[in-house]
């Protein structure tokens, strides 16, 4: 049986956009585990006390074992030990590039000794070890063999072949892993590959064919540079093509949305399985065929992942009126909202421009102070799966004259106009009018307000 270690909580932190909080990491670890993965990989505790606390919190709440990263150094291993993690992921490399850039002055023999010693020390502390050969795709076979022997003799529980730059082609991946599987039938092998050439999933399938037992993946395929093998793509393939029923793929869409919001890594609508266009059919011949049999152009029933087939097609922009007449609408049309003071105008959304990626409203406050019934405001705390913005502009000179209270993720502030508040995706927020005259503008980076709401599992 193929086992999966999901690396979202480590690989995601190696992207320029993403910095999961402890609370986000705990929630994500629970949701990822609920998919049916076998292990969760989370962070490198030695980096900082904050990172160590994040890993510790995930370890304390995760329903599956947690692995944390460490260099082949005692201080890194001790940092993992303090978090309570079940596994340590030790990594090293002895190819020419690594030796020239990361291990200057050390010989192969010294690096192999260091690798083996760190594994022995970790095992002596009672922890399990995954020994990773970093940049294995650019490492000569004799050096791969040397590292595996050193790791095996030191007591490593699992050995990972990491194609850290995604350099190998699928057939090359099969060849080298088949060789290692033949030479070392007694070891447990893991495979980790980056998607730099767009071959991560193809290479992963070849690794499985070669006899690898463990696969390293991440939700939405996030990770350093172009990311790694996508958890969702792989487990959906297992479920729908190879009839492996141990994964709960019905949770995929909700978790994908949560990872996208928390990681701040936007997905292409063409993303397989979870992309907005994955089950949209607009070619007329395709639509006619789909109306007769949904299998005509769907590789599997999207209901399995709580998705649906759509035949909708946006009206071309050149055929639409782009000089818009705003809609005066009460905010009762929105979830988490009541009527509220003043007049509210929808300046832009999908009703005004078909396919609009933006939602704008403006509310006019013409009173001096809120009445007693407005003490709690007309907006309950809620969360979006995309970024949004509050703008407050008073009627006075230089836009002064408006006072409001804003709650941003529990940080409650009394604000005087002019003011703007940036609201990151995934952060709960609300606002309350206090007094004054002016205009409130709300921008949400989605054309349909209700599609922007992130209903977070607690």
């Amino acid at each position: 049986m193929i086992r999966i270690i999901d690396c979202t909580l480590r690989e995601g932190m190696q992207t320029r956009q993403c910095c999961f909080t402890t609370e986000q990491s705990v929630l994500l670890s629970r949701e990822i585990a609920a998919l049916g993965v076998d292990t969760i990989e989370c962070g490198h505790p030695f980096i900082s006390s904050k990172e160590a606390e994040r890993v510790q919190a995930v370890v304390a709440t995760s329903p599956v074992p947690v692995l944390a990263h460490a260099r082949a150094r005692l201080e890194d291993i001790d940092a993992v030990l303090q978090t309570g993690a079940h596994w340590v992921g030790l990594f090293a490399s002895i190819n020419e590039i690594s030796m020239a850039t990361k291990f200057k002055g050390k010989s192969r023999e010294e690096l192999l000794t260091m690798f083996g010693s760190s594994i022995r020390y970790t095992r002596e502390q009672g922890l399990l070890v995954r020994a990773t050969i970093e940049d294995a795709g650019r490492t000569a076979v004799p050096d791969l063999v040397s590292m595996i022997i050193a790791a095996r003799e030191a007591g490593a529980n699992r050995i990972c072949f990491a194609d850290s730059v995604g350099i190998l082609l699928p057939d090359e991946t099969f060849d080298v892993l088949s060789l290692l599987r033949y030479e070392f039938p007694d070891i447990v092998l893991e495979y980790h590959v980056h998607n730099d050439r767009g071959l991560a999933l193809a290479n992963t399938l070849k690794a499985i064919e070669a006899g690898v037992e463990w696969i390293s993946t991440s939700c939405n395929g996030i990770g350093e540079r172009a990311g790694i093998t996508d958890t969702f793509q792989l487990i959906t393939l297992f479920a729908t093509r190879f009839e492996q029923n141990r994964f709960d793929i019905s949770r995929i869409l909700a978790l994908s949305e949560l990872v996208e919001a928390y990681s701040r890594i936007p997905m292409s609508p063409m993303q397989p399985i979870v992309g907005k266009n994955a089950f949209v059919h607009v070619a007329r011949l395709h639509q006619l065929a789909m109306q007769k049999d949904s299998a005509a152009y769907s590789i599997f029933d999207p209901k399995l992942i709580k998705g649906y087939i759509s035949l909708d097609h946006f009206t071309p922009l050149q055929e639409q009126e782009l000089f818009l007449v705003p809609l005066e609408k009460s905010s009762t049309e929105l979830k988490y909202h009541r009527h509220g003071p003043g007049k509210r105008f929808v300046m832009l959304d999908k009703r005004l421009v078909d396919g609009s990626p933006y939602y704008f409203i403006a509310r006019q406050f013409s009173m001096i102070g809120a009445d007693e019934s407005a003490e709690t405001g007309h907006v309950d705390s809620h969360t979006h799966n995309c970024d949004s913005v509050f703008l407050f502009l008073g009627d006075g000179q230089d836009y002064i004259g408006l006072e409001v209270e804003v709650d941003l993720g529990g940080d409650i502030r009394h604000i005087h106009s002019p003011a703007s508040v940036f609201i990151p995706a995934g952060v709960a927020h609300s606002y309350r009018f206090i007094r004054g005259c002016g205009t409130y503008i709300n921008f949400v980076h989605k054309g349909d307000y209700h599609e922007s709401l992130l209903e977070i599992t607690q």
Side-chain angles (χ1 to χ4, degrees), residues 244-303:
Q244 291 193 21
N245 299 319
R246 67 188 186 95
F247 299 106
D248 187 356
I249 63 173
S250 69
R251 309 179 73 93
I252 281 177
L253 289 181
L255 179 53
S256 174
E257 180 185 42
L258 194 62
V259 170
E260 183 178 20
Y262 283 171
S263 69
R264 303 189 56 74
I265 301 173
M267 285 189 302
S268 165
M270 309 305 185
Q271 181 94 348
I273 313 300
V274 298
K276 296 299 183 185
N277 288 9
F279 299 100
V280 177
H281 308 268
V282 300
R284 184 57 180 160
L285 291 177
H286 291 199
Q287 290 182 334
L288 291 172
M290 290 294 292
Q291 289 167 358
K292 295 177 181 177
D293 185 345
S294 62
Y297 287 97
S298 285
I299 195 63
F300 66 88
D301 186 350
K303 291 180 182 177

Side-chain angles (χ1 to χ4, degrees), residues 215-265:
I215 299 296
S216 160
T217 64
S218 71
C219 296
N220 291 342
I222 67 173
E224 193 164 22
R225 301 184 315 280
I228 65 172
T229 306
D230 187 345
T231 301
F232 303 139
Q233 292 178 27
L234 186 60
I235 67 173
T236 301
L237 186 62
F238 283 165
T240 61
R241 182 64 188 269
F242 300 110
E243 298 180 350
Q244 291 193 21
N245 299 319
R246 67 188 186 95
F247 299 106
D248 187 356
I249 63 173
S250 69
R251 309 179 73 93
I252 281 177
L253 289 181
L255 179 53
S256 174
E257 180 185 42
L258 194 62
V259 170
E260 183 178 20
Y262 283 171
S263 69
R264 303 189 56 74
I265 301 173

Side-chain angles (χ1 to χ4, degrees), residues 1-36:
M1 180 174 66
I2 301 301
R3 299 190 179 276
I4 291 179
I5 175 169
D6 184 281
C7 308
T8 305
L9 297 179
R10 181 185 67 81
E11 281 286 350
M13 297 290 274
Q14 293 182 197
T15 65
R16 63 179 180 177
Q17 300 96 328
C18 176
C19 187
F20 294 126
T21 67
T22 296
E23 294 75 16
Q24 290 171 346
S25 298
V26 166
L27 175 57
L28 287 172
S29 70
R30 291 173 179 163
E31 294 298 311
I32 292 169
L35 290 175

Side-chain angles (χ1 to χ4, degrees), residues 90-148:
L90 295 173
F91 58 95
S93 177
I94 60 172
N95 67 25
E96 295 294 342
I97 296 173
S98 294
M99 292 180 65
T101 58
K102 293 186 292 186
F103 301 110
K104 293 181 179 180
K106 289 187 181 295
S107 67
R108 279 178 171 76
E109 290 70 27
E110 289 174 317
L111 290 172
L112 288 169
T113 298
M114 179 183 73
F115 196 40
S117 296
S118 65
I119 294 170
R120 288 188 186 90
Y121 176 79
T122 305
R123 297 290 285 128
E124 288 167 1
Q125 307 311 306
L127 299 178
L128 300 171
V129 177
R130 181 194 67 190
T132 296
I133 305 172
E134 191 180 19
D135 203 7
R138 293 190 293 188
T139 301
V141 169
D143 288 334
L144 292 174
V145 169
S146 296
M147 291 198 73
I148 291 174

